[in-house]
Amino acid sequence: MDTAAVVSSKPGNPTSMVPASLRGIFPVLVALPVLLLLEWLLSDSPFATYLLSIMGVNVILAVSLNIVNGMTGQFSIGHAGFMAVGAYLSGVTSLALKDVAISFLPVAVSDQVFLLVALLVGGIAAATAGFLVGLPSLRLRGDYLAIVTLGFGEIIRVAVTNTEAFGRALGLSGIPQTSSVAMVGFWVFLVVLVARRIAGSSHGRSLWAIREDEVAAEAMGVNTTGYKVRAFVISSFFAGVAGALFAHFVPIINPGSFTFVKSMEIVVMVVLGGLGSTTGAIVAAVFLTLLPEGLRSLFTTFGTGGSLAQQVDQIRMPVYGLMLVVLMLSRPQGLLGTRELWEVIPRWIPRRRKGM
Amino acid sequence: MAQLLQHLINGIAAGTIYALVALGYTMVYGVLKLINFAHGDVMMVGVYMGYSTAFLLGRQTQSTPWGVLVIFLVAMAGCALMGFLIERFAYRPLRDKPRLTALITAIGISFALSYGFQLDIGFLPGSAPRAFPQIIKPAQWFTVGDPEFPDVVLWNWQVISLMLAVGLMVGLQYLVYRTRFGRAMRAVSFDHRVAALMGIPTDRVISLTFMIGSALAAGAGLLYAIKDTSVSPLMGLYVGLKAFVAAVIGGIGNVPGAMVGGLLLGLVEEFVVGYAASTWRDAVAFGFLILVLLVRPGGLFGRVAAEKV
């Protein structure tokens, strides 16, 4: 990760343009103090902590799905399934490790170490599931692959609902609430870094090639199957981590949190931001998380009655549906397309590194 | 033995309904190469249209043969109109765009319909399931064993839906392979640009196909509602998905394939519920789909077309 990749900025290849700011260790030096400061500032505001956490989880989900849907062009609509795998397995791990502590470390640090272990367990389990789902992409493409991912998500949900160890339909409760904003932020940072690095690498160019024309990419010598499976594995790893983080700050996880609807929410984020744009996915995820919350608190403060505030949740889904339709009709490439945020900011804002 | 027979009857009855919904998927896919995700939700809207019509007709008239006919016709006509509107305003503008955009649009329409119908505003039905009126009075056609508590029952609506499904399939097969319109459909399916050059009114053919498919969905949905006796705004999502699975298993774009796929799916589900665990039903349906696709990527009757650059 610290090997500063020599990224070509050849003309006519704008997708490989990684800003200088993301290279090397510099972002870590900036991000870490900011995260810790945030953690300290928010320590006595549970609502803000919750909001930031759920926002971070959604960002991780959207950015990771974007690697498969946006960069590789393999339309996957079962992302919530991977999230469920991560959430449940990390939850079970945490429950098993509940009473264990590393004695020579302070309690908080020890908690974070075990949380990290649980996150990795969840992530790796989801990555394994992603490998299994990626394999059918050997033979299936397009719509068929989409329906297989959907079926996979549903199978996971039914399997979880029927497993005694996962609490059946009631779900898993009593998972230690050890997740912190700093931890979520760390993974957001990591997934963005990985996504941007992939986008700018030769690996990424293979993914873009598959996205544009799979048959042509194959003819040019790209190992399409290998790249597709790898994209699935990376993407599902992060989805698993997101699920694991989610499991560690909500009081209870149940199969109802990981339905087809959740998958579609993530798809909407990716499509709205622009298929292939990492920053677009981030912006869309933040926006779509804040919008319902904002509307709800707006209705509550103006005292238009609790019923309207409750209806925000109801209205959300049809609005998402209409948004997809309108977006596809007016801007099929999403708000940003495959461009990144800094490529669309107006020219008069000074930039450190000129675009082409 | 009696139990097995009963499961077979139930499986075939469920399967014919899946097959009927799957026919609509298959037709639309045949001409447009688009998975019309909203098909199940069009079906749901059709069921609600039938529900309202049944109430307007009142308790006495709704279960007479004419009443049933009116209910079916209203629902089917309403859905045909809706199918036309959806095609005209949501899918036609995207016809020359990548297929993914149309798929996303279809998912969007599906969500807007199924969750829009759950709202509690004005005339919308709200999210609670409702009892569907008994427009066909249930009667036993055939029983085995004690007449009071029979081991095997064949209901009249099961026979009616099977006959309707077979009749519609034969009709569709005739329409596609024996009529001018069918020839136009096949031409559009093969290559809609060349078909347009040859003087085929492509847009009209696609619109009509959509309308026929949506009307079929409404009819199938009503049969489903009679069997299930309850309707809810989310029924379209799940019945639609199952029917889609059936269409893909049979090889999407293939009319007899949809029929066989529907029957197979109905039987598999019924046997899982009967002999294993009912809670695994949905998972088994999708597992079956994935299995079939892994062995035959084009479905049982489908052909995998070689792709060119």
Side-chain angles (χ1 to χ4, degrees), chain A:
Chain A
M1 202 176 304
D2 52 349
T3 51
V6 184
V7 177
S8 70
S9 50
K10 273 175 266 162
N13 191 3
T15 51
S16 68
M17 197 188 68
V18 173
S21 62
L22 263 184
R23 286 187 210 147
I25 201 74
F26 174 70
V28 183
L29 294 180
V30 179
L32 266 184
V34 170
L35 284 176
L36 290 175
L37 187 73
L38 212 59
E39 176 76 35
W40 177 69
L41 283 175
L42 292 172
S43 53
D44 52 318
S45 166
F47 180 67
T49 310
Y50 172 80
L51 201 59
L52 270 177
S53 297
I54 199 93
M55 212 151 70
V57 165
N58 282 341
V59 168
I60 298 175
L61 287 169
V63 171
S64 63
L65 184 64
N66 195 30
I67 296 174
V68 169
N69 280 13
M71 293 183 194
T72 325
Q74 306 295 307
F75 199 58
S76 162
I77 46 181
H79 217 49
F82 300 118
M83 193 189 169
V85 170
Y88 273 97
L89 281 169
S90 75
V92 169
T93 312
S94 275
L95 282 174
L97 293 174
K98 210 172 182 175
D99 302 322
V100 191
I102 305 174
S103 52
F104 58 87
L105 288 174
V107 177
V109 179
S110 160
D111 273 356
Q112 294 298 307
V113 171
F114 282 117
L115 174 62
L116 204 60
V117 170
L119 294 183
L120 287 176
V121 169
I124 288 166
T128 316
F131 180 71
L132 292 179
V133 180
L135 278 184
S137 62
L138 280 165
R139 305 196 62 174
L140 305 172
R141 48 187 56 163
D143 311 335
Y144 285 89
L145 187 63
I147 212 68
V148 164
T149 54
L150 186 152
F152 170 78
E154 288 295 297
I155 290 175
I156 294 273
R157 193 177 55 79
V158 175
V160 160
T161 316
N162 285 297
T163 309
E164 192 63 59
F166 294 152
R168 292 184 182 268
L170 283 178
L172 220 54
S173 57
I175 302 168
Q177 310 291 299
T178 45
S179 167
S180 59
V181 173
M183 191 53 119
V184 176
F186 167 72
W187 284 99
V188 168
F189 175 76
L190 204 62
V191 72
V192 172
L193 194 70
V194 167
R196 284 304 301 158
R197 278 296 166 85
I198 289 176
S201 66
S202 68
H203 192 121
R205 276 194 287 273
S206 302
L207 298 186
W208 296 113
I210 293 172
R211 169 193 149 123
E212 294 308 328
D213 193 326
E214 204 173 322
V215 184
E218 182 88 58
M220 294 302 289
V222 175
N223 173 9
T224 51
T225 311
Y227 280 110
K228 283 194 285 185
V229 172
R230 262 171 270 172
F232 259 107
V233 168
I234 294 169
S235 162
S236 50
F237 173 79
F238 281 107
V241 169
L245 285 167
F246 178 74
H248 285 83
F249 69 78
V250 294
I252 189 166
I253 51 170
N254 60 27
S257 314
F258 310 105
T259 54
F260 179 49
V261 175
K262 181 69 191 173
S263 296
M264 289 319 299
E265 256 179 58
I266 310 167
V267 169
V268 173
M269 288 169 191
V270 171
V271 173
L272 177 70
L275 284 161
S277 167
T278 303
T279 37
I282 300 173
V283 171
V286 169
F287 174 70
L288 288 180
T289 316
L290 285 182
L291 191 67
E293 299 290 342
L295 279 180
R296 197 176 299 137
S297 48
L298 194 75
F299 284 139
T300 329
T301 41
F302 282 112
T304 37
S307 64
L308 205 55
Q310 278 171 3
Q311 276 182 7
V312 170
D313 264 342
Q314 284 196 339
I315 293 172
R316 203 170 48 135
M317 293 318 296
V319 167
Y320 278 4
L322 286 178
M323 203 156 73
L324 277 181
V325 177
V326 171
L327 206 66
M328 282 298 114
L329 291 176
S330 55
R331 254 189 97 75
Q333 72 275 44
L335 290 182
L336 295 185
T338 54
R339 291 178 300 174
E340 299 293 349
L341 206 53
W342 52 84
E343 294 168 55
V344 291
I345 52 173
R347 288 280 160 193
W348 47 266
I349 297 177
R351 273 183 268 191
R352 280 203 306 146
R353 191 165 167 277
K354 278 270 166 115
M356 277 154 296

Side-chain angles (χ1 to χ4, degrees), chain A residues 69 73 75 77 135-136 139-141 143-144 146-148 150-152 154-155 157-159 162-163 213 215-216 219 259-261 264 267 271 275 311 314-315 317-318 320-322 324-325 328-329 332, chain B residues 29 33 35 37 89-90 93-94 97 99-101 103-105 107-109 111-112 115-116 118-121 237-238 241 244 248 252 279-280 282-283 286-287 289-290 293-295 297-298 307-309:
Chain A
N69 280 13
F75 199 58
I77 46 181
L135 278 184
R139 305 196 62 174
L140 305 172
R141 48 187 56 163
D143 311 335
Y144 285 89
I147 212 68
V148 164
L150 186 152
F152 170 78
E154 288 295 297
I155 290 175
R157 193 177 55 79
V158 175
N162 285 297
T163 309
D213 193 326
V215 184
T259 54
F260 179 49
V261 175
M264 289 319 299
V267 169
V271 173
L275 284 161
Q311 276 182 7
Q314 284 196 339
I315 293 172
M317 293 318 296
Y320 278 4
L322 286 178
L324 277 181
V325 177
M328 282 298 114
L329 291 176
Chain B
Y29 191 87
K33 298 282 173 292
I35 292 179
F37 240 88
F89 293 106
L94 294 172
K97 297 274 170 54
R99 278 166 56 195
L100 204 57
T101 54
L103 181 68
I104 297 173
T105 311
I107 293 176
I109 290 177
F111 266 59
Y115 286 92
Q118 283 197 312
L119 296 178
D120 262 328
I121 307 168
L237 272 183
Y238 282 92
L241 274 181
F244 174 68
V248 175
I252 196 160
T279 42
W280 284 89
D282 294 352
F286 282 108
L289 168 80
I290 293 174
L293 283 185
L294 284 182
V295 181
E307 280 193 52
K308 290 177 286 186
V309 181

Side-chain angles (χ1 to χ4, degrees), chain B residues 5 10 28 30 43 81 88 93 113 132 144 150 176 178 193 204 212 217 223 226-227 266 272 296:
Chain B
L5 193 60
N10 291 350
V28 169
M43 180 200 92
L81 179 68
R88 178 66 191 79
L113 282 180
F132 194 78
V144 174
V176 173
R178 292 279 184 275
R193 281 195 201 82
R204 208 183 305 160
I212 296 173
L223 289 177
I226 292 168
K227 165 185 153 263
V272 167
R296 287 189 65 91

